[in-house]
Each structure stands twice: as structure tokens, then as C-alpha cells.
Amino acid sequence: MKSQRIKTWAWVHKWSSLVCTVFMLLLCITGLPLIFHHEIGHLLGTEVEAPKMPASTPRESLDRVLETAKALHPDRVVQYASQPEDDDAIWFVTLTPTPAPTDDFKQVAVDARTGKVLAQPKTDEGFMYVMLKLHVDLFAGLPGMLFLGFMGFLLLVAIVSGVVLYSPFMRKLEFGTVRRERRPRLKWLDLHNLLGIVTLVWAFTVGATGMINTWADLIVKYWQHDQLSALLKPYQGQPTVPMAERGSVQQSMDVALQSAPGMKLSFIAFPGTAFSSPHHNTFFLRGNEPFTSRLLQPVLVDAQTGVITASPRLPWYLTALLVSQPLHFGDYGGMPMQILWALLDIATIIVLGSGLYLWLKRGNTVPASAKAGADPHAAHAPVAQPASTAAAKVGT
């Protein structure tokens, strides 16, 4: 019965590993430069920086900033406005043909103190854009995201089944043993198992958060249906507030910030966008600590009257999404955590690559019955064989 259980787990591990290995290799390789996207942006000269000025320099009105950005693209509407977490001297204004979600957007960086245009970042070209699109959706939009989410699920299955197989396989070997004197395939199997078990927690964390991130569009749509629609019942039947009838965005922002002392602005979603309603400017505020800066508090301000109509707590599923995004790329602990994430990413690439090698070389293995008596480790060959031919512990 125990032998049958091991065979079942080996079968599960084999096919979950084989199906997802190539895609997980792609995600690990493309994810490596994304860990250092800010640093690479500085090297490539694509990172926008505001000129140095005294911290006490007064800020330009947000209304003026938005007018400046829109003047460059008068045929578009302002969809979002945001500020970097570590630099409130810049406004990034996103403009699209319509408020609805679209990949056709332009971005304008405006100096928050002078109201002058700093740059128009090209977000749809270059090396980092290709890496991001391959990592996020394979250039296939929502279907690509959901497909990669399924690959992430298979990775988690491979990790769990690999852990189950690890114990019987290593029962007569010391932890960390790599039999270098044996044939290359056995040596790679030991290295594969060692790196797999060492990177276990990290791989599971990154795999799980990556899978959650692929559901982002669906989670936001569910939030709109589940909670935002209930908050908008008083506005049912009313048309979207025309641009000419909207009040001052600067005044609305001041009201939103006054309602949540100690919090800072993360981004603004304007009427009709995915994160707002047809009638509100929605201000997403964040905390000041590394963790609380990822937990956003929405404040809905009537775009016409400038009055706060709601400030709901985000539901757990949206909070899980917001927390998982920076955790996936190691954005919580600065450079030390980025380096750690990169090293673990490289280790996982070795695990995945060695698992693929073990599968491709499976035909060169001497049958366990032929080496019994000559091989001092023959006692666990029956367990090692299915684990290795399954590309043992791929992803762990």
C-alpha cells in the first residue's frame, strides 16, 4: 500500500512538473531582471527623475498638472494619476482613448512643483517591456495571464508532491548529500533534490503569489460587482459626470487626505475607470511603513461636489492581491531582499533545468534489478527512479 502511494505521488509529480517546467523556466528567467527593474531603468536611462529642489518647495496644483498632461494628448482622457512611493515630486498621468481598461495608453511625467513636463515614458517598448509582458501574460492578455496562473498551480502541485517523495528517497542518505563520485545523472539528481528542498518555502511563496497576480483583472471586476455596486446605488440612473461639470481634483484630494491622517496618496482613479465609478474620483491612500504602504484605503469623492461619499475597507481578496504583488518581486526589503530573491531565483532555474535534464536522460538509467548487489544505494533505487524520471521536485 505504501509503495502504491509513492507511485501515485510520483505520477502526480511527474506530469505536473513536466507540463509546467518550460513555462516556469521562462518566468524565472524573465523575472530575474524584473527584480531590479528600477536599477536597470537607471542604467538604461529610462527612469524619470525630478530635478533637485529644496524639500520645502511648494507644489503646483494637481488641476494644473492634469491640464498640462492633457494638453499633450487632447484627444484622450485622464485615467489615472500616481506618484512614486519614494518621490512625491513627480506625477505620472495616464491617458487613454476612453476611461475603460485598455492597453492603448500614454503616460506623461509632470514635475509636481513646477507643473512642467519631465518626460513621456515609453512603456510599450524596450527590453524591460518585453520581459514584463512575457512574465505577465505572454503577450496574450487575460487568456495568457490565466494560462500562466494554471502553470503556477501545477508548480504548487509539483512542490507538494516533491516534498512527499523527498522523505522516502533520502531515508538512507544524509541531508545535503551529493554523490559526486557517481555517474552525472545521479549527481544531478542529488543536486536537484538538495536545491529543491532548500528553496522550498521561497518557491512556494513566489509560485502562490504569482498565481494570485494572474487573477488581478478578475478580482477587480468581482470587487466592482460585489462592493462598489452597492456603494453606488444612490447614483443609479444618473449619467456620468461630464468633464466640464467636475470640481477641482486638488480640492478633492485635500479632502481625501484630511479624512485619513498619517496616510499618503498612492494613486487616483478617475470617473469611469476600473478602480472607480462613473461619478467619483477615487483616491487610494497608503501607509508609511514597508508593509502598510501596500495596504490601500480607497476614498470615494463625488467628482462634482467634492464630498466624500464612502471610504470602504478593501475586502480580504483585494488586500491579498495588493500584498502578493510586491512580495512576488521582493519589493519589501530594499536591495538586500532583491539580492536574496535573485539568488533564490537562480537556484530555482538550476532546479528546473536539472529536472528537465533528468527527464531527458531517463533512458540512460541502469535498471534497479541489474545494479542490485553492486550498488550500495540500491535499497532506495525503486524510490529514486520514479522521482528522478518525474524531474524530481521541479520548482522546489
mmCIF file of all heavy atoms in Angstrom, residues 9-22 155 158-159 161-163 165 185 188-189 192-193 196 350-362 384-396:
data_model
loop_
_atom_site.group_PDB
_atom_site.id
_atom_site.type_symbol
_atom_site.label_atom_id
_atom_site.label_comp_id
_atom_site.label_asym_id
_atom_site.label_seq_id
_atom_site.Cartn_x
_atom_site.Cartn_y
_atom_site.Cartn_z
ATOM 1 N N TRP A 9 2.050 9.396 -5.994
ATOM 2 C CA TRP A 9 2.651 10.718 -5.831
ATOM 3 C C TRP A 9 3.696 10.972 -6.917
ATOM 4 O O TRP A 9 3.831 12.096 -7.411
ATOM 5 C CB TRP A 9 3.280 10.855 -4.444
ATOM 6 C CG TRP A 9 2.300 11.205 -3.375
ATOM 7 C CD1 TRP A 9 1.849 10.405 -2.365
ATOM 8 C CD2 TRP A 9 1.621 12.459 -3.208
ATOM 9 N NE1 TRP A 9 0.941 11.072 -1.582
ATOM 10 C CE2 TRP A 9 0.792 12.343 -2.080
ATOM 11 C CE3 TRP A 9 1.648 13.658 -3.914
ATOM 12 C CZ2 TRP A 9 -0.012 13.383 -1.635
ATOM 13 C CZ3 TRP A 9 0.850 14.711 -3.469
ATOM 14 C CH2 TRP A 9 0.033 14.570 -2.341
ATOM 15 N N ALA A 10 4.452 9.926 -7.264
ATOM 16 C CA ALA A 10 5.462 10.070 -8.315
ATOM 17 C C ALA A 10 4.799 10.416 -9.655
ATOM 18 O O ALA A 10 5.318 11.238 -10.421
ATOM 19 C CB ALA A 10 6.283 8.786 -8.441
ATOM 20 N N TRP A 11 3.649 9.793 -9.930
ATOM 21 C CA TRP A 11 2.927 10.083 -11.173
ATOM 22 C C TRP A 11 2.441 11.531 -11.175
ATOM 23 O O TRP A 11 2.558 12.243 -12.185
ATOM 24 C CB TRP A 11 1.747 9.127 -11.322
ATOM 25 C CG TRP A 11 0.990 9.294 -12.602
ATOM 26 C CD1 TRP A 11 1.209 8.660 -13.784
ATOM 27 C CD2 TRP A 11 -0.127 10.182 -12.827
ATOM 28 N NE1 TRP A 11 0.323 9.088 -14.745
ATOM 29 C CE2 TRP A 11 -0.508 10.028 -14.194
ATOM 30 C CE3 TRP A 11 -0.824 11.072 -12.032
ATOM 31 C CZ2 TRP A 11 -1.559 10.733 -14.740
ATOM 32 C CZ3 TRP A 11 -1.866 11.800 -12.599
ATOM 33 C CH2 TRP A 11 -2.228 11.624 -13.933
ATOM 34 N N VAL A 12 1.872 11.966 -10.039
ATOM 35 C CA VAL A 12 1.398 13.351 -9.929
ATOM 36 C C VAL A 12 2.556 14.328 -10.118
ATOM 37 O O VAL A 12 2.457 15.314 -10.855
ATOM 38 C CB VAL A 12 0.722 13.581 -8.556
ATOM 39 C CG1 VAL A 12 0.438 15.070 -8.335
ATOM 40 C CG2 VAL A 12 -0.563 12.774 -8.450
ATOM 41 N N HIS A 13 3.677 14.029 -9.456
ATOM 42 C CA HIS A 13 4.841 14.905 -9.548
ATOM 43 C C HIS A 13 5.391 14.940 -10.972
ATOM 44 O O HIS A 13 5.759 15.995 -11.494
ATOM 45 C CB HIS A 13 5.920 14.417 -8.580
ATOM 46 C CG HIS A 13 7.108 15.320 -8.522
ATOM 47 N ND1 HIS A 13 7.074 16.548 -7.919
ATOM 48 C CD2 HIS A 13 8.371 15.180 -9.011
ATOM 49 C CE1 HIS A 13 8.262 17.123 -8.021
ATOM 50 N NE2 HIS A 13 9.070 16.317 -8.690
ATOM 51 N N LYS A 14 5.415 13.785 -11.589
ATOM 52 C CA LYS A 14 5.957 13.673 -12.947
ATOM 53 C C LYS A 14 5.213 14.579 -13.921
ATOM 54 O O LYS A 14 5.817 15.417 -14.599
ATOM 55 C CB LYS A 14 5.869 12.221 -13.410
ATOM 56 C CG LYS A 14 6.148 11.993 -14.881
ATOM 57 C CD LYS A 14 5.943 10.524 -15.219
ATOM 58 C CE LYS A 14 6.085 10.273 -16.713
ATOM 59 N NZ LYS A 14 5.902 8.852 -17.052
ATOM 60 N N TRP A 15 3.907 14.452 -13.970
ATOM 61 C CA TRP A 15 3.166 15.168 -15.001
ATOM 62 C C TRP A 15 2.947 16.638 -14.657
ATOM 63 O O TRP A 15 2.953 17.500 -15.537
ATOM 64 C CB TRP A 15 1.837 14.460 -15.280
ATOM 65 C CG TRP A 15 2.087 13.170 -15.988
ATOM 66 C CD1 TRP A 15 1.955 11.907 -15.494
ATOM 67 C CD2 TRP A 15 2.578 13.019 -17.328
ATOM 68 N NE1 TRP A 15 2.325 10.969 -16.420
ATOM 69 C CE2 TRP A 15 2.709 11.619 -17.563
ATOM 70 C CE3 TRP A 15 2.921 13.903 -18.333
ATOM 71 C CZ2 TRP A 15 3.172 11.117 -18.767
ATOM 72 C CZ3 TRP A 15 3.379 13.413 -19.545
ATOM 73 C CH2 TRP A 15 3.502 12.031 -19.757
ATOM 74 N N SER A 16 2.751 16.964 -13.379
ATOM 75 C CA SER A 16 2.639 18.383 -13.014
ATOM 76 C C SER A 16 3.953 19.097 -13.299
ATOM 77 O O SER A 16 3.964 20.252 -13.781
ATOM 78 C CB SER A 16 2.264 18.533 -11.537
ATOM 79 O OG SER A 16 3.249 17.953 -10.693
ATOM 80 N N SER A 17 5.082 18.417 -13.046
ATOM 81 C CA SER A 17 6.393 19.013 -13.305
ATOM 82 C C SER A 17 6.641 19.188 -14.792
ATOM 83 O O SER A 17 7.059 20.257 -15.256
ATOM 84 C CB SER A 17 7.504 18.136 -12.706
ATOM 85 O OG SER A 17 7.343 17.978 -11.323
ATOM 86 N N LEU A 18 6.391 18.128 -15.553
ATOM 87 C CA LEU A 18 6.700 18.170 -16.979
ATOM 88 C C LEU A 18 5.883 19.225 -17.712
ATOM 89 O O LEU A 18 6.396 19.907 -18.599
ATOM 90 C CB LEU A 18 6.464 16.792 -17.604
ATOM 91 C CG LEU A 18 7.495 15.715 -17.251
ATOM 92 C CD1 LEU A 18 7.098 14.382 -17.851
ATOM 93 C CD2 LEU A 18 8.873 16.126 -17.753
ATOM 94 N N VAL A 19 4.633 19.367 -17.350
ATOM 95 C CA VAL A 19 3.770 20.322 -18.055
ATOM 96 C C VAL A 19 4.193 21.766 -17.787
ATOM 97 O O VAL A 19 4.173 22.609 -18.693
ATOM 98 C CB VAL A 19 2.292 20.112 -17.648
ATOM 99 C CG1 VAL A 19 1.420 21.225 -18.210
ATOM 100 C CG2 VAL A 19 1.800 18.760 -18.146
ATOM 101 N N CYS A 20 4.617 22.048 -16.555
ATOM 102 C CA CYS A 20 4.875 23.452 -16.207
ATOM 103 C C CYS A 20 6.340 23.855 -16.297
ATOM 104 O O CYS A 20 6.647 25.052 -16.262
ATOM 105 C CB CYS A 20 4.357 23.750 -14.798
ATOM 106 S SG CYS A 20 5.381 23.082 -13.457
ATOM 107 N N THR A 21 7.264 22.895 -16.439
ATOM 108 C CA THR A 21 8.687 23.211 -16.321
ATOM 109 C C THR A 21 9.150 24.289 -17.294
ATOM 110 O O THR A 21 9.797 25.263 -16.904
ATOM 111 C CB THR A 21 9.544 21.950 -16.523
ATOM 112 O OG1 THR A 21 9.298 21.037 -15.458
ATOM 113 C CG2 THR A 21 11.026 22.301 -16.540
ATOM 114 N N VAL A 22 8.848 24.144 -18.577
ATOM 115 C CA VAL A 22 9.320 25.106 -19.577
ATOM 116 C C VAL A 22 8.791 26.507 -19.288
ATOM 117 O O VAL A 22 9.520 27.502 -19.367
ATOM 118 C CB VAL A 22 8.918 24.658 -20.999
ATOM 119 C CG1 VAL A 22 9.253 25.751 -22.014
ATOM 120 C CG2 VAL A 22 9.627 23.370 -21.366
ATOM 121 N N LEU A 155 2.825 24.142 -10.626
ATOM 122 C CA LEU A 155 4.075 24.249 -9.879
ATOM 123 C C LEU A 155 3.849 23.934 -8.406
ATOM 124 O O LEU A 155 4.640 23.214 -7.782
ATOM 125 C CB LEU A 155 4.646 25.658 -10.026
ATOM 126 C CG LEU A 155 5.850 25.984 -9.134
ATOM 127 C CD1 LEU A 155 7.052 25.141 -9.528
ATOM 128 C CD2 LEU A 155 6.190 27.468 -9.201
ATOM 129 N N ALA A 158 3.528 20.315 -8.023
ATOM 130 C CA ALA A 158 4.832 19.678 -8.148
ATOM 131 C C ALA A 158 5.650 19.838 -6.864
ATOM 132 O O ALA A 158 6.354 18.913 -6.447
ATOM 133 C CB ALA A 158 5.592 20.260 -9.336
ATOM 134 N N ILE A 159 5.548 20.999 -6.232
ATOM 135 C CA ILE A 159 6.276 21.233 -4.985
ATOM 136 C C ILE A 159 5.777 20.306 -3.877
ATOM 137 O O ILE A 159 6.559 19.649 -3.184
ATOM 138 C CB ILE A 159 6.146 22.707 -4.555
ATOM 139 C CG1 ILE A 159 6.931 23.605 -5.521
ATOM 140 C CG2 ILE A 159 6.649 22.904 -3.134
ATOM 141 C CD1 ILE A 159 6.746 25.088 -5.274
ATOM 142 N N SER A 161 4.040 17.473 -4.107
ATOM 143 C CA SER A 161 4.332 16.066 -4.399
ATOM 144 C C SER A 161 5.828 15.789 -4.276
ATOM 145 O O SER A 161 6.236 14.702 -3.854
ATOM 146 C CB SER A 161 3.837 15.701 -5.798
ATOM 147 O OG SER A 161 4.408 16.542 -6.786
ATOM 148 N N GLY A 162 6.669 16.778 -4.623
ATOM 149 C CA GLY A 162 8.107 16.605 -4.463
ATOM 150 C C GLY A 162 8.507 16.463 -3.012
ATOM 151 O O GLY A 162 9.395 15.666 -2.672
ATOM 152 N N VAL A 163 7.862 17.217 -2.129
ATOM 153 C CA VAL A 163 8.140 17.106 -0.694
ATOM 154 C C VAL A 163 7.754 15.720 -0.181
ATOM 155 O O VAL A 163 8.475 15.099 0.611
ATOM 156 C CB VAL A 163 7.386 18.206 0.085
ATOM 157 C CG1 VAL A 163 7.483 17.962 1.584
ATOM 158 C CG2 VAL A 163 7.943 19.570 -0.270
ATOM 159 N N LEU A 165 7.744 12.977 -1.853
ATOM 160 C CA LEU A 165 8.704 11.996 -2.365
ATOM 161 C C LEU A 165 10.083 12.142 -1.739
ATOM 162 O O LEU A 165 10.862 11.188 -1.729
ATOM 163 C CB LEU A 165 8.835 12.148 -3.894
ATOM 164 C CG LEU A 165 7.614 11.751 -4.721
ATOM 165 C CD1 LEU A 165 7.829 12.147 -6.172
ATOM 166 C CD2 LEU A 165 7.331 10.266 -4.610
ATOM 167 N N ARG A 185 24.193 11.664 -13.953
ATOM 168 C CA ARG A 185 22.750 11.763 -13.742
ATOM 169 C C ARG A 185 22.397 11.659 -12.261
ATOM 170 O O ARG A 185 21.523 12.370 -11.768
ATOM 171 C CB ARG A 185 22.031 10.678 -14.542
ATOM 172 C CG ARG A 185 20.505 10.834 -14.525
ATOM 173 C CD ARG A 185 19.852 9.834 -15.463
ATOM 174 N NE ARG A 185 18.423 10.039 -15.479
ATOM 175 C CZ ARG A 185 17.591 9.548 -14.553
ATOM 176 N NH1 ARG A 185 18.081 8.853 -13.552
ATOM 177 N NH2 ARG A 185 16.293 9.783 -14.624
ATOM 178 N N TRP A 188 23.384 14.883 -10.533
ATOM 179 C CA TRP A 188 22.415 15.944 -10.792
ATOM 180 C C TRP A 188 21.110 15.714 -10.041
ATOM 181 O O TRP A 188 20.451 16.661 -9.612
ATOM 182 C CB TRP A 188 22.158 16.067 -12.292
ATOM 183 C CG TRP A 188 23.149 16.943 -12.973
ATOM 184 C CD1 TRP A 188 24.174 16.570 -13.784
ATOM 185 C CD2 TRP A 188 23.237 18.371 -12.866
ATOM 186 N NE1 TRP A 188 24.886 17.662 -14.204
ATOM 187 C CE2 TRP A 188 24.329 18.794 -13.656
ATOM 188 C CE3 TRP A 188 22.492 19.339 -12.192
ATOM 189 C CZ2 TRP A 188 24.701 20.116 -13.792
ATOM 190 C CZ3 TRP A 188 22.855 20.669 -12.322
ATOM 191 C CH2 TRP A 188 23.943 21.048 -13.108
ATOM 192 N N LEU A 189 20.753 14.459 -9.862
ATOM 193 C CA LEU A 189 19.544 14.157 -9.087
ATOM 194 C C LEU A 189 19.704 14.625 -7.645
ATOM 195 O O LEU A 189 18.804 15.248 -7.073
ATOM 196 C CB LEU A 189 19.247 12.653 -9.117
ATOM 197 C CG LEU A 189 18.100 12.175 -8.217
ATOM 198 C CD1 LEU A 189 16.794 12.839 -8.625
ATOM 199 C CD2 LEU A 189 17.960 10.660 -8.290
ATOM 200 N N HIS A 192 19.662 18.394 -7.595
ATOM 201 C CA HIS A 192 18.278 18.812 -7.842
ATOM 202 C C HIS A 192 17.457 18.718 -6.558
ATOM 203 O O HIS A 192 16.727 19.649 -6.189
ATOM 204 C CB HIS A 192 17.691 17.909 -8.929
ATOM 205 C CG HIS A 192 16.244 18.144 -9.228
ATOM 206 N ND1 HIS A 192 15.806 19.079 -10.132
ATOM 207 C CD2 HIS A 192 15.120 17.548 -8.734
ATOM 208 C CE1 HIS A 192 14.483 19.051 -10.188
ATOM 209 N NE2 HIS A 192 14.044 18.138 -9.353
ATOM 210 N N ASN A 193 17.593 17.589 -5.847
ATOM 211 C CA ASN A 193 16.838 17.397 -4.604
ATOM 212 C C ASN A 193 17.280 18.370 -3.521
ATOM 213 O O ASN A 193 16.457 18.915 -2.784
ATOM 214 C CB ASN A 193 17.017 15.962 -4.116
ATOM 215 C CG ASN A 193 16.323 14.958 -5.013
ATOM 216 O OD1 ASN A 193 15.363 15.288 -5.698
ATOM 217 N ND2 ASN A 193 16.818 13.728 -5.044
ATOM 218 N N GLY A 196 16.187 21.878 -4.418
ATOM 219 C CA GLY A 196 14.735 21.902 -4.356
ATOM 220 C C GLY A 196 14.216 22.055 -2.947
ATOM 221 O O GLY A 196 13.327 22.866 -2.678
ATOM 222 N N ILE A 350 18.185 26.499 -11.695
ATOM 223 C CA ILE A 350 19.007 25.280 -11.699
ATOM 224 C C ILE A 350 18.143 24.062 -11.392
ATOM 225 O O ILE A 350 18.293 22.995 -12.011
ATOM 226 C CB ILE A 350 20.155 25.408 -10.675
ATOM 227 C CG1 ILE A 350 21.096 26.541 -11.089
ATOM 228 C CG2 ILE A 350 20.928 24.090 -10.564
ATOM 229 C CD1 ILE A 350 22.175 26.845 -10.070
ATOM 230 N N VAL A 351 17.223 24.203 -10.433
ATOM 231 C CA VAL A 351 16.326 23.094 -10.098
ATOM 232 C C VAL A 351 15.489 22.708 -11.308
ATOM 233 O O VAL A 351 15.357 21.528 -11.659
ATOM 234 C CB VAL A 351 15.412 23.473 -8.912
ATOM 235 C CG1 VAL A 351 14.373 22.382 -8.666
ATOM 236 C CG2 VAL A 351 16.235 23.687 -7.652
ATOM 237 N N LEU A 352 14.922 23.700 -11.964
ATOM 238 C CA LEU A 352 14.082 23.436 -13.131
ATOM 239 C C LEU A 352 14.896 22.835 -14.276
ATOM 240 O O LEU A 352 14.480 21.863 -14.913
ATOM 241 C CB LEU A 352 13.413 24.726 -13.589
ATOM 242 C CG LEU A 352 12.368 25.330 -12.646
ATOM 243 C CD1 LEU A 352 12.056 26.766 -13.032
ATOM 244 C CD2 LEU A 352 11.101 24.501 -12.631
ATOM 245 N N GLY A 353 16.064 23.419 -14.522
ATOM 246 C CA GLY A 353 16.904 22.915 -15.601
ATOM 247 C C GLY A 353 17.391 21.501 -15.333
ATOM 248 O O GLY A 353 17.400 20.651 -16.241
ATOM 249 N N SER A 354 17.776 21.222 -14.087
ATOM 250 C CA SER A 354 18.236 19.871 -13.754
ATOM 251 C C SER A 354 17.091 18.874 -13.822
ATOM 252 O O SER A 354 17.280 17.720 -14.217
ATOM 253 C CB SER A 354 18.878 19.864 -12.360
ATOM 254 O OG SER A 354 17.943 20.275 -11.373
ATOM 255 N N GLY A 355 15.889 19.302 -13.450
ATOM 256 C CA GLY A 355 14.729 18.416 -13.567
ATOM 257 C C GLY A 355 14.465 18.049 -15.011
ATOM 258 O O GLY A 355 14.160 16.884 -15.328
ATOM 259 N N LEU A 356 14.602 19.024 -15.900
ATOM 260 C CA LEU A 356 14.414 18.754 -17.324
ATOM 261 C C LEU A 356 15.502 17.817 -17.840
ATOM 262 O O LEU A 356 15.236 16.890 -18.617
ATOM 263 C CB LEU A 356 14.442 20.081 -18.093
ATOM 264 C CG LEU A 356 13.880 20.086 -19.518
ATOM 265 C CD1 LEU A 356 12.443 19.602 -19.538
ATOM 266 C CD2 LEU A 356 13.985 21.485 -20.118
ATOM 267 N N TYR A 357 16.734 18.040 -17.390
ATOM 268 C CA TYR A 357 17.853 17.177 -17.769
ATOM 269 C C TYR A 357 17.610 15.734 -17.311
ATOM 270 O O TYR A 357 17.833 14.774 -18.056
ATOM 271 C CB TYR A 357 19.138 17.727 -17.157
ATOM 272 C CG TYR A 357 20.297 16.753 -17.165
ATOM 273 C CD1 TYR A 357 21.063 16.560 -18.315
ATOM 274 C CD2 TYR A 357 20.633 16.038 -16.015
ATOM 275 C CE1 TYR A 357 22.127 15.671 -18.318
ATOM 276 C CE2 TYR A 357 21.690 15.149 -16.010
ATOM 277 C CZ TYR A 357 22.439 14.963 -17.161
ATOM 278 O OH TYR A 357 23.489 14.082 -17.161
ATOM 279 N N LEU A 358 17.143 15.590 -16.070
ATOM 280 C CA LEU A 358 16.886 14.242 -15.532
ATOM 281 C C LEU A 358 15.819 13.517 -16.353
ATOM 282 O O LEU A 358 15.896 12.304 -16.568
ATOM 283 C CB LEU A 358 16.452 14.343 -14.067
ATOM 284 C CG LEU A 358 17.541 14.780 -13.084
ATOM 285 C CD1 LEU A 358 16.931 15.114 -11.736
ATOM 286 C CD2 LEU A 358 18.605 13.712 -12.949
ATOM 287 N N TRP A 359 14.829 14.269 -16.807
ATOM 288 C CA TRP A 359 13.771 13.643 -17.613
ATOM 289 C C TRP A 359 14.304 13.227 -18.976
ATOM 290 O O TRP A 359 14.048 12.121 -19.441
ATOM 291 C CB TRP A 359 12.604 14.611 -17.771
ATOM 292 C CG TRP A 359 11.605 14.172 -18.807
ATOM 293 C CD1 TRP A 359 11.400 14.711 -20.029
ATOM 294 C CD2 TRP A 359 10.691 13.085 -18.713
ATOM 295 N NE1 TRP A 359 10.417 14.039 -20.703
ATOM 296 C CE2 TRP A 359 9.967 13.023 -19.909
ATOM 297 C CE3 TRP A 359 10.416 12.147 -17.714
ATOM 298 C CZ2 TRP A 359 8.984 12.077 -20.158
ATOM 299 C CZ3 TRP A 359 9.436 11.201 -17.953
ATOM 300 C CH2 TRP A 359 8.729 11.170 -19.158
ATOM 301 N N LEU A 360 15.076 14.106 -19.616
ATOM 302 C CA LEU A 360 15.597 13.806 -20.940
ATOM 303 C C LEU A 360 16.597 12.658 -20.914
ATOM 304 O O LEU A 360 16.724 11.911 -21.899
ATOM 305 C CB LEU A 360 16.265 15.064 -21.537
ATOM 306 C CG LEU A 360 15.321 16.237 -21.834
ATOM 307 C CD1 LEU A 360 16.116 17.461 -22.268
ATOM 308 C CD2 LEU A 360 14.288 15.853 -22.885
ATOM 309 N N LYS A 361 17.307 12.491 -19.787
ATOM 310 C CA LYS A 361 18.323 11.444 -19.675
ATOM 311 C C LYS A 361 17.793 10.172 -19.025
ATOM 312 O O LYS A 361 18.561 9.268 -18.709
ATOM 313 C CB LYS A 361 19.504 11.968 -18.838
ATOM 314 C CG LYS A 361 20.324 13.045 -19.534
ATOM 315 C CD LYS A 361 21.101 12.468 -20.710
ATOM 316 C CE LYS A 361 22.015 13.510 -21.328
ATOM 317 N NZ LYS A 361 22.789 12.959 -22.456
ATOM 318 N N ARG A 362 16.480 10.080 -18.851
ATOM 319 C CA ARG A 362 15.929 8.948 -18.111
ATOM 320 C C ARG A 362 16.220 7.621 -18.795
ATOM 321 O O ARG A 362 16.309 6.577 -18.156
ATOM 322 C CB ARG A 362 14.420 9.112 -17.932
ATOM 323 C CG ARG A 362 13.632 9.026 -19.227
ATOM 324 C CD ARG A 362 12.226 9.556 -19.062
ATOM 325 N NE ARG A 362 11.440 9.402 -20.284
ATOM 326 C CZ ARG A 362 11.559 10.198 -21.347
ATOM 327 N NH1 ARG A 362 12.432 11.195 -21.322
ATOM 328 N NH2 ARG A 362 10.818 10.006 -22.422
ATOM 329 N N ALA A 384 14.020 6.288 -5.954
ATOM 330 C CA ALA A 384 14.736 7.306 -6.712
ATOM 331 C C ALA A 384 14.317 7.318 -8.168
ATOM 332 O O ALA A 384 14.253 8.357 -8.787
ATOM 333 C CB ALA A 384 16.247 7.052 -6.617
ATOM 334 N N GLN A 385 14.021 6.132 -8.719
ATOM 335 C CA GLN A 385 13.698 6.078 -10.138
ATOM 336 C C GLN A 385 12.455 6.876 -10.504
ATOM 337 O O GLN A 385 12.520 7.731 -11.365
ATOM 338 C CB GLN A 385 13.538 4.613 -10.589
ATOM 339 C CG GLN A 385 14.848 3.877 -10.725
ATOM 340 C CD GLN A 385 15.760 4.565 -11.716
ATOM 341 O OE1 GLN A 385 15.303 5.070 -12.723
ATOM 342 N NE2 GLN A 385 17.038 4.610 -11.427
ATOM 343 N N PRO A 386 11.298 6.650 -9.865
ATOM 344 C CA PRO A 386 10.141 7.431 -10.256
ATOM 345 C C PRO A 386 10.310 8.912 -9.948
ATOM 346 O O PRO A 386 9.828 9.767 -10.673
ATOM 347 C CB PRO A 386 8.982 6.842 -9.438
ATOM 348 C CG PRO A 386 9.635 6.081 -8.338
ATOM 349 C CD PRO A 386 10.953 5.617 -8.872
ATOM 350 N N ALA A 387 11.012 9.240 -8.856
ATOM 351 C CA ALA A 387 11.210 10.643 -8.537
ATOM 352 C C ALA A 387 12.068 11.335 -9.573
ATOM 353 O O ALA A 387 11.787 12.444 -10.004
ATOM 354 C CB ALA A 387 11.863 10.778 -7.158
ATOM 355 N N SER A 388 13.119 10.656 -10.033
ATOM 356 C CA SER A 388 14.009 11.280 -10.999
ATOM 357 C C SER A 388 13.370 11.342 -12.373
ATOM 358 O O SER A 388 13.490 12.344 -13.071
ATOM 359 C CB SER A 388 15.335 10.519 -11.063
ATOM 360 O OG SER A 388 15.109 9.190 -11.523
ATOM 361 N N THR A 389 12.714 10.284 -12.793
ATOM 362 C CA THR A 389 12.098 10.318 -14.102
ATOM 363 C C THR A 389 10.941 11.293 -14.150
ATOM 364 O O THR A 389 10.489 11.678 -15.219
ATOM 365 C CB THR A 389 11.587 8.918 -14.506
ATOM 366 O OG1 THR A 389 10.700 8.444 -13.520
ATOM 367 C CG2 THR A 389 12.736 7.951 -14.677
ATOM 368 N N ALA A 390 10.479 11.708 -13.002
ATOM 369 C CA ALA A 390 9.434 12.746 -12.938
ATOM 370 C C ALA A 390 10.043 14.127 -12.867
ATOM 371 O O ALA A 390 9.350 15.087 -12.586
ATOM 372 C CB ALA A 390 8.543 12.506 -11.731
ATOM 373 N N ALA A 391 11.347 14.235 -13.110
ATOM 374 C CA ALA A 391 12.047 15.517 -12.912
ATOM 375 C C ALA A 391 11.834 15.960 -11.479
ATOM 376 O O ALA A 391 11.242 16.983 -11.184
ATOM 377 C CB ALA A 391 11.536 16.586 -13.882
ATOM 378 N N ALA A 392 12.401 15.127 -10.554
ATOM 379 C CA ALA A 392 12.066 15.183 -9.138
ATOM 380 C C ALA A 392 12.105 16.579 -8.562
ATOM 381 O O ALA A 392 13.072 17.306 -8.741
ATOM 382 C CB ALA A 392 13.038 14.309 -8.350
ATOM 383 N N LYS A 393 11.035 16.912 -7.883
ATOM 384 C CA LYS A 393 10.881 18.171 -7.193
ATOM 385 C C LYS A 393 11.117 19.394 -8.043
ATOM 386 O O LYS A 393 11.766 20.348 -7.645
ATOM 387 C CB LYS A 393 11.766 18.204 -5.939
ATOM 388 C CG LYS A 393 11.112 17.453 -4.791
ATOM 389 C CD LYS A 393 12.070 17.181 -3.692
ATOM 390 C CE LYS A 393 12.959 16.016 -4.027
ATOM 391 N NZ LYS A 393 12.275 14.813 -4.409
ATOM 392 N N VAL A 394 10.628 19.390 -9.275
ATOM 393 C CA VAL A 394 10.753 20.569 -10.128
ATOM 394 C C VAL A 394 10.055 21.728 -9.439
ATOM 395 O O VAL A 394 8.903 21.637 -9.048
ATOM 396 C CB VAL A 394 10.116 20.313 -11.503
ATOM 397 C CG1 VAL A 394 10.033 21.615 -12.276
ATOM 398 C CG2 VAL A 394 10.945 19.314 -12.278
ATOM 399 N N GLY A 395 10.793 22.829 -9.304
ATOM 400 C CA GLY A 395 10.207 24.024 -8.717
ATOM 401 C C GLY A 395 10.417 24.122 -7.244
ATOM 402 O O GLY A 395 10.213 25.165 -6.675
ATOM 403 N N THR A 396 10.801 23.025 -6.565
ATOM 404 C CA THR A 396 11.029 23.171 -5.135
ATOM 405 C C THR A 396 12.399 23.718 -4.879
ATOM 406 O O THR A 396 12.750 23.982 -3.766
ATOM 407 C CB THR A 396 10.882 21.820 -4.419
ATOM 408 O OG1 THR A 396 11.830 20.898 -4.959
ATOM 409 C CG2 THR A 396 9.500 21.275 -4.594
#
